[in-house]
Amino acid sequence: MGNTVWVLQEGQEDDDWDHSIVLMHEKQLNKLAKEIGVKEFSEFLDYSVIAAEFGGDTEVNYIEPAEVKDTFSQLIIAIVGGKSKKLSNNNDLLEELEDCLNKVELAQQVGKKVRLSVIP
């Protein structure tokens, strides 16, 4: 079984959605992000849960929602607009990106930071 990403607000412990497709396309999303001039998707990933399993750094990486929101919004627009042939017809990926964006926007509305926690 592969890893997934949970979009968590400060104080939240789990996510109701499995974002494993987003994580599987990390390299393509990073490439597209570079092409459209936004931060790479991988810059936001928090590996503290996996690190804890191996005795590593378990400091959680919370970030401001606005930082993540721009990247997710622009990636969705680019994918829908056909800027990536590899990603353009992947409705499951788009659905996961839209869910991530919605959760980030919710956190922003309530004034909380978020983390994109990679979960084994």
Side-chain angles (χ1 to χ4, degrees):
M1 227 171 147
N3 295 337
T4 189
V5 174
W6 285 355
V7 180
L8 305 171
Q9 292 181 15
E10 291 173 294
Q12 188 179 9
E13 294 298 320
D14 60 9
D15 193 343
D16 61 353
W17 197 299
D18 175 351
H19 303 101
S20 57
I21 295 170
V22 170
L23 194 57
M24 287 186 320
H25 289 90
E26 177 182 355
K27 288 181 182 178
Q28 288 122 343
L29 290 169
N30 285 341
K31 181 180 176 193
L32 180 57
K34 280 183 184 179
E35 290 173 9
I36 62 175
V38 296
K39 286 187 178 181
E40 291 182 22
F41 167 71
S42 61
E43 288 186 39
F44 304 115
L45 297 177
D46 172 39
Y47 286 93
S48 61
V49 172
I50 291 175
E53 288 187 12
F54 296 100
D57 180 14
T58 59
E59 186 174 332
V60 175
N61 181 29
Y62 282 107
I63 47 184
E64 292 295 332
E67 292 181 50
V68 185
K69 185 177 166 181
D70 183 51
T71 292
F72 281 131
S73 297
Q74 294 304 315
L75 284 171
I76 291 168
I77 291 167
I79 293 168
V80 169
K83 293 201 182 223
S84 171
K85 290 181 182 179
K86 290 183 179 180
L87 301 176
S88 66
N89 291 321
N90 193 329
N91 291 330
D92 292 334
L93 173 63
L94 278 171
E95 189 175 25
E96 286 188 16
L97 284 170
E98 288 169 354
D99 183 69
C100 290
L101 177 60
N102 289 336
K103 288 179 174 151
V104 167
E105 289 174 336
L106 269 172
Q108 188 175 34
Q109 289 171 9
V110 297
K112 292 190 176 184
K113 292 183 178 182
V114 295
R115 67 181 170 140
L116 276 59
S117 185
V118 178
I119 304 294

